[in-house]
């Protein structure tokens, strides 16, 4: 690409800049004094997981299955995070470019628990197919890329919530909903649990090992862990939006129109952009009568600025109504569309990234198996081999007592473009849960966990790992 001489941007999509807005008032410098107080200890446990998104759910279940007393704190009323409450119900690739299922373990088990009518995607026999007609058909259904059919299912979010919760309860996890992880508990410079806010007030949970699965790195930042916030605004990974669904649609009719009349479809998008300033395509869901919108992607906002988050919500909800009017008027299959659901969770792609004991960088896309491999991720395109995900990317560079799986793991901006996806969060979350349980049981810091014991524990839970090369 002429504007990308280094070839760093492999996954590109349209983003829309921050809308013009009135100047904000200058930040106030006034303060109030909060009285010192004793914080009641709500519970003590071996492993505390803060955040019940994909990484946190996987971590809690993996730890509990190892026998650890595990508490999972979640601010909403469900598990699954962006994969459920955020309506990111299109699950990105879990197979490599040859059709091999490489993200397994928790991820595979969770999806296998869903009813057949709650999942849409190519049959297993089609994974890895390069047949042009098949790839074109599945490409319109977010399950083929670069001419290759992949395992990228689209799921019913309610069934995904149900399966996640049942797996957690069966494993012995103690969930706490409607509880916002606010601050780490620090002892001698190490994390020893967390303070949460709820209707019951401010309370603490003490833990041998804490897992920050907030996605935004809230605990790691407040614990003093080094982290990165920079994003590359030329791609989508720093953008934010609230997703939504329309019901009463005929997606097969819409997809035929897109495929058979591309000029009309392009003109429709032009009309939409002219009318709204930010306009997006409809995506398939798990049903032919439900359309999914995972954009427009709004750039230039901060995921850790409450006023920015508020503005994104306002803008996204107004865009949802504007899209409905334009789709009803112009798009085949949408004449009877209605507002179905706006996501209760805002769609944040990036806030903070841990500066860990090791970082995954573009230079690591060489296919080799790391000595501390905790899972294997598909690469961004067929010209790259699979990526070995290292345990050290979950471990803070100097703060003990804490593990940081999910989209805030230690990596560069380019690697973050796919390591932040739902399957990779399941992968790193499961690894963090097993590691946390081992550390708690052995009474050691997470950075001191025996890697062979960790890899053995992951393999026992169905995770795909590769054998290390035999030294010459």
């Amino acid at each position: 690409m002429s504007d990308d001489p280094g070839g760093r941007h492999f996954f590109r999509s349209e983003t829309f800049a921050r809308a013009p807005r009135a100047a904000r008032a200058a930040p106030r410098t006034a303060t109030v004094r909060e009285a010192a107080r004793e914080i009641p200890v709500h519970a003590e446990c071996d492993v505390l997981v803060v955040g019940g998104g994909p990484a946190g759910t996987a971590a809690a279940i993996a730890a509990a299955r190892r026998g650890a007393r595990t508490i999972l704190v979640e601010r909403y009323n469900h598990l699954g995070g962006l994969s459920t409450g955020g309506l990111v119900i299109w699950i990105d690739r879990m197979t490599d470019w040859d059709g091999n299922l490489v993200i397994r373990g928790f991820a595979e088990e969770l999806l296998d628990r869903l009813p057949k009518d709650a999942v849409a995607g190519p049959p297993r026999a089609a994974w890895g197919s390069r047949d042009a007609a098949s790839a074109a058909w599945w490409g319109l259904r977010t399950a083929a890329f670069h001419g290759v059919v992949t395992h990228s299912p689209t799921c019913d979010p309610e069934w995904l919530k149900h399966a996640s919760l049942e797996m957690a309860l069966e494993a012995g996890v103690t969930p706490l909903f409607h509880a916002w992880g606010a601050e780490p508990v620090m002892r001698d410079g190490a994390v020893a649990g967390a303070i949460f806010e709820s209707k019951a007030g401010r309370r603490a949970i003490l833990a041998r090992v804490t897992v920050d699965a907030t996605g935004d790195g809230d605990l790691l930042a407040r614990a003093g862990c080094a982290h990165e916030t920079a994003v590359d605004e030329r791609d989508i990974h720093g953008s934010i939006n609230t997703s939504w669904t329309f019901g009463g649609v005929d997606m097969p009719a819409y997809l035929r129109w897109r495929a058979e009349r591309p000029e009309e479809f392009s003109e429709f998008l032009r009309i939409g952009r002219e009318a709204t300033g930010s306009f997006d395509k409809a995506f398939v869901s798990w049903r032919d009568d439900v359309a999914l919108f995972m954009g427009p992607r709004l750039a230039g906002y901060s995921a850790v600025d409450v006023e920015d988050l508020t503005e994104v919500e306002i803008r996204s909800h107004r865009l949802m109504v504007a899209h409905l009017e334009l789709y009803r008027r112009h798009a085949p299959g949408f004449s009877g569309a209605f507002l179905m659901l706006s996501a209760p969770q805002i769609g944040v792609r990036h806030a903070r990234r841990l500066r860990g004991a090791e970082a995954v960088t573009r230079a690591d896309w060489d296919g080799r198996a790391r000595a501390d491999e905790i899972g294997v991720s598909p690469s961004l395109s067929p010209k790259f081999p699979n990526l070995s995900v290292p345990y050290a990317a979950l471990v803070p560079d100097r703060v003990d007592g804490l593990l940081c799986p999910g989209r805030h793991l230690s990596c560069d901006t380019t690697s973050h473009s796919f390591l932040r996806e739902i399957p990779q969060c399941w992968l790193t979350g499961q690894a963090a849960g097993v590691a946390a349980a081992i550390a708690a049981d052995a009474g050691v810091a997470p950075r001191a966990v025996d890697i062979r014991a960790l890899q053995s524990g992951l393999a026992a839970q169905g995770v795909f790992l590769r054998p290390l090369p035999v030294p010459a």
Side-chain angles (χ1 to χ4, degrees), residues 159-177:
W159 275 109
L160 201 55
K161 291 176 186 176
H162 174 73
S164 299
L165 179 58
E166 289 303 311
M167 285 178 67
L169 295 175
E170 289 168 13
V173 175
T174 299
L176 277 182
F177 292 116

Side-chain angles (χ1 to χ4, degrees), residues 64-89:
R65 285 179 173 178
R66 289 276 308 189
R69 294 170 299 156
T70 305
I71 296 176
L72 175 57
V73 171
E74 167 54 41
R75 60 174 167 160
Y76 294 106
N77 70 346
H78 59 267
L79 301 180
L82 289 183
S83 69
T84 56
L87 293 181
V88 185
I89 55 176

Side-chain angles (χ1 to χ4, degrees), residues 180-184 186 212 217-225 227 304 352:
W180 187 303
E183 294 284 344
M186 304 297 295
D212 181 348
D218 294 337
L219 287 189
L220 70 88
R222 290 163 191 159
C225 297
H227 58 276
V304 294
R352 305 178 180 96

Side-chain angles (χ1 to χ4, degrees), residues 252-267:
Y254 167 78
L255 294 176
R256 283 194 301 271
W257 174 58
R258 277 190 59 179
E260 297 171 5
R261 298 181 179 273
E263 298 85 2
E264 288 185 12
F265 182 69
S266 294
E267 176 62 11

